[in-house]
Amino acid sequence: MNDKKKIETVYPLSPLQEGMLFHSAADPAAGLYFEQTSYTLEGRLDVERFRRAWECVIERHAILRTAFNKAGTAQVVFKRASAPWTCLDWRELMESQRASELQAYLARDRAEGFDVTNAPLLRFTLIRLTDTSYKFVVSYHHVLLDGWSYVRVLNEVTTFYEALGRDAELHLPEPRPYRDYIKWLKQQDQTQSEAFWRGRLSGIAEPTSLADAFTGGAPGGKLCEIECIIDSDATGLTELTRRAQITLNTLVQGGWGLLLSRYVGRPDVVFGATVSGRPPALAGVEQMIGLFINTLPVRVQVGAGVSVTSWLRQLQREAADAYAYQHARLTDVHAWSEVAAGRALFDTLVVFENYPAGGATGAVSGGEA
């Protein structure tokens, strides 16, 4: 990182990038924000062309050639960055052996992690399973990309892969760099954000603790993971949102707010939610690649004498009002609230993801998280 001739530009971090790097440095062995996705690729894959397609996308987007200084105060974009590729051939292994080998390999890959001072913070592994079947593993640090950006990257890889196969010259619009978003952040009026969030959280003096509702505030308890798959069409959720003229995200947040209200015994609750963080005022932001998401509080007030539809529509209006201030730093929002320093602003978090995730590389037949 000391060779200035190799550096394209240097600029500050976004608030969420700062937080991710802080927590990663505090516990390097935990693998926080290490993202790993594997795909099954079916068909006659041109490996060299596939690799070149990825190289074209890395060359195209500065954020994919980015590292961070040791102090975690600046991101450094390199003029060139070559992502590590590992190619393995497991065709001689039995299917059961391949499954166990894959799990072991993924574990080793996660344990390796990333040195955030060395670009690029992504790497690839292509494992040949049969003559026409591959497992493709993409690993990257979350500090570079959010989910929406990652899908855009995969789509661009598809575009380059197909163009290279036709020996066609590809002319894509010049992408707006992530540093433009950082510049936009620096230009925002903090007084407006402060006024909004102080008003939105007025009267909230403590977090809504679901854990305390179950344990009575006593320490301890067990953690577990529960997966529940709901078909939105089969359950009528899609029709419900259409009739109420709300988004599915609003329905999910309303449901979670009702659940919290019931268990904590209060009509006024707060929980966290992950937002896209892409400001509509920034031209071309939907096509930009980088980390835009943010986590902010959502306040839900459950009142009597109002229909569910009217209540959900009000929640959606409140979310729309907050949209212009979704870039606010969570630590600032906490400071603007009435919750004492040292206490969490919220105890639970809702993450609603809605972006196309399938068929993103042309040769991909399915994806696994």
Side-chain angles (χ1 to χ4, degrees):
M1 188 174 288
N2 294 326
D3 191 343
K4 294 182 179 180
K5 293 181 180 179
K6 296 180 179 180
I7 295 175
E8 181 176 300
T9 187
V10 179
Y11 58 94
L13 281 65
S14 72
L16 190 58
Q17 284 181 314
E18 291 177 357
M20 285 187 176
L21 290 183
F22 173 81
H23 290 294
S24 295
D27 191 0
L32 297 174
Y33 307 115
F34 181 91
E35 299 294 318
Q36 183 187 71
T37 309
S38 64
Y39 302 91
T40 299
L41 308 181
E42 300 285 357
R44 295 289 179 179
L45 179 69
D46 186 328
V47 175
E48 286 306 310
R49 175 155 54 103
F50 188 49
R51 181 170 180 167
R52 178 57 187 152
W54 276 99
E55 290 174 350
C56 289
V57 175
I58 293 173
E59 292 170 6
R60 176 173 157 79
H61 294 286
I63 191 65
L64 301 180
R65 293 178 273 111
T66 295
F68 300 83
N69 65 350
K70 290 183 179 180
T73 57
Q75 45 193 328
V76 182
V77 179
F78 288 84
K79 295 176 182 178
R80 294 179 181 81
S82 180
W85 275 78
T86 299
C87 292
L88 303 173
D89 191 337
W90 290 356
R91 282 178 291 181
E92 294 185 359
L93 298 181
M94 297 180 63
E95 187 172 348
S96 59
Q97 290 177 300
R98 292 199 296 262
S100 60
E101 282 291 329
L102 178 62
Q103 293 308 309
Y105 182 84
L106 295 178
R108 291 195 301 271
D109 183 50
R110 288 192 295 269
E112 183 179 344
F114 286 103
D115 176 1
V116 296
T117 64
N118 289 324
L121 300 179
L122 71 164
R123 58 176 174 263
F124 311 101
T125 302
L126 186 64
I127 305 170
R128 192 163 193 176
L129 305 178
T130 69
D131 289 345
T132 58
S133 177
Y134 298 80
K135 183 68 72 172
F136 183 55
V137 182
V138 183
S139 301
Y140 64 96
H141 200 295
H142 198 1
V143 74
L144 297 184
L145 302 169
D146 54 28
W148 184 272
S149 295
Y150 179 60
V151 171
R152 289 199 63 84
V153 166
L154 294 180
N155 288 334
E156 286 196 8
V157 169
T158 298
T159 302
F160 276 104
Y161 181 79
E162 293 175 349
L164 290 169
R166 301 190 305 268
D167 289 326
E169 191 171 349
L170 190 60
H171 298 285
L172 294 178
E174 188 71 20
R176 191 163 189 181
Y178 186 65
R179 68 173 180 269
D180 284 3
Y181 168 67
I182 302 298
K183 182 179 179 180
W184 181 90
L185 282 178
K186 300 298 182 183
Q187 295 171 343
Q188 300 314 296
D189 186 352
Q190 282 286 84
T191 59
Q192 293 183 11
S193 290
E194 180 177 354
F196 173 82
W197 286 110
R198 282 190 184 277
R200 176 57 60 91
L201 299 174
S202 177
I204 300 295
E206 62 180 11
T208 304
S209 178
L210 184 61
D212 287 351
F214 284 103
T215 65
K222 295 181 179 180
L223 296 176
C224 66
E225 180 177 325
I226 299 175
E227 179 178 317
C228 180
I229 299 176
I230 301 175
D231 187 324
S232 60
D233 291 327
T235 56
L237 297 182
T238 302
E239 178 59 28
L240 175 60
T241 58
R242 187 180 297 114
R243 288 200 315 269
Q245 296 180 320
I246 61 171
T247 64
L248 188 57
N249 183 32
T250 296
L251 184 62
V252 170
Q253 290 191 359
W256 188 248
L258 282 173
L259 183 73
L260 286 179
S261 177
R262 174 184 176 185
Y263 278 105
V264 303
R266 296 202 302 269
D268 196 354
V269 298
V270 175
F271 57 89
T274 299
V275 295
S276 71
R278 292 176 182 260
L282 183 60
V285 70
E286 291 300 324
Q287 286 72 47
M288 292 174 68
I289 301 297
L291 182 71
F292 294 88
I293 57 170
N294 197 7
T295 300
L296 292 168
V298 175
R299 184 177 188 175
V300 173
Q301 295 169 294
V302 182
V306 61
S307 70
V308 172
T309 298
S310 297
W311 176 70
L312 288 171
R313 287 175 179 170
Q314 177 60 30
L315 290 183
Q316 185 150 299
R317 286 192 293 270
E318 292 173 359
D321 291 341
Y323 196 63
Y325 308 100
Q326 65 176 344
H327 60 276
R329 188 190 302 259
L330 181 57
T331 52
D332 290 338
V333 175
H334 190 298
W336 298 330
S337 76
E338 299 170 25
V339 177
R343 298 196 69 184
L345 185 54
F346 44 78
D347 179 64
T348 61
L349 176 68
V350 172
V351 180
F352 185 90
E353 297 179 331
N354 183 25
Y355 46 78
T361 64
V364 172
S365 64
E368 302 170 2

